[in-house]
Amino acid sequence: MVPLKTWVLVAVLLGAFTGLALPHGSGAKESPALQKQGPSVVVHGAHVVHLSQDGKVHAWRTKDLGADPEYARVLASQPLRLLATGRGQLWGTDLARVYRWSEESRTWKPEFQLPASTEPAIALAVVGGTVRWSCTRHAWWRPGRARSIRLPR
């Protein structure tokens, strides 16, 4: 069994590749839009899953940190841009729909359509039973500015 300290280190290192970058501007005072930069990294069940910016999926087993290319292959069956975990589920979005991973059938199940927006989603999270996504000007961490859909119980 891999110690928790090792998991924290792995999560921090993989998480260091994620982030948001502000575009270089002409010095204007208005707030520039955020653009997604880097991958999504989640720990789900017995796997650490990494989704790169170009959509390539990698997976490692949590018990020994060994690569699991077969699991990565089935996760890549649906082209996705962002991943999140919550309520014991793995969630993904292609920026048009949100999908839930089914371990039983090993497929992505479409859950709901994201509302039409002129702003691209840059992050996906499940917070308190609600799927939330942040857009370039609306972020789930800003009260009153969240874009979200409550999950059924």
Side-chain angles (χ1 to χ4, degrees):
M1 186 76 178
V2 178
L4 179 61
K5 196 174 187 180
T6 303
W7 279 114
V8 170
L9 178 61
V10 168
V12 168
L13 289 175
L14 289 174
F17 295 118
T18 64
L20 302 173
L22 295 174
H24 299 305
S26 61
K29 295 295 181 189
E30 77 177 59
S31 178
L34 298 171
Q35 295 180 357
K36 180 173 174 8
Q37 300 290 318
S40 292
V41 179
V42 296
V43 176
H44 175 67
H47 289 90
V48 176
V49 180
H50 172 267
L51 175 65
S52 70
Q53 187 173 8
D54 62 357
K56 187 164 172 107
V57 178
H58 299 278
W60 298 270
R61 294 178 298 276
T62 56
K63 66 180 176 183
D64 61 4
L65 294 183
D68 191 342
E70 174 58 24
Y71 192 67
R73 186 188 63 74
V74 295
L75 286 175
S77 63
Q78 175 65 45
L80 297 173
R81 299 293 308 272
L82 300 168
L83 293 176
T85 57
R87 296 184 70 187
Q89 300 287 320
L90 177 61
W91 301 87
T93 182
D94 58 6
L95 306 183
R97 295 187 65 93
V98 172
Y99 299 87
R100 182 178 48 83
W101 175 251
S102 169
E103 287 293 340
E104 298 81 36
S105 64
R106 294 178 66 96
T107 60
W108 290 100
K109 307 280 186 182
E111 289 292 317
F112 54 87
Q113 186 86 21
L114 290 178
S117 174
T118 58
E119 304 172 79
I122 59 172
L124 182 70
V126 179
V127 180
T130 302
V131 172
R132 297 181 181 253
W133 61 96
S134 60
C135 298
T136 54
R137 296 189 191 279
H138 297 88
W140 60 266
W141 57 85
R142 286 190 230 153
R145 304 288 296 227
R147 304 283 176 109
S148 61
I149 293 182
R150 184 150 254 334
L151 299 172
R153 297 226 174 235

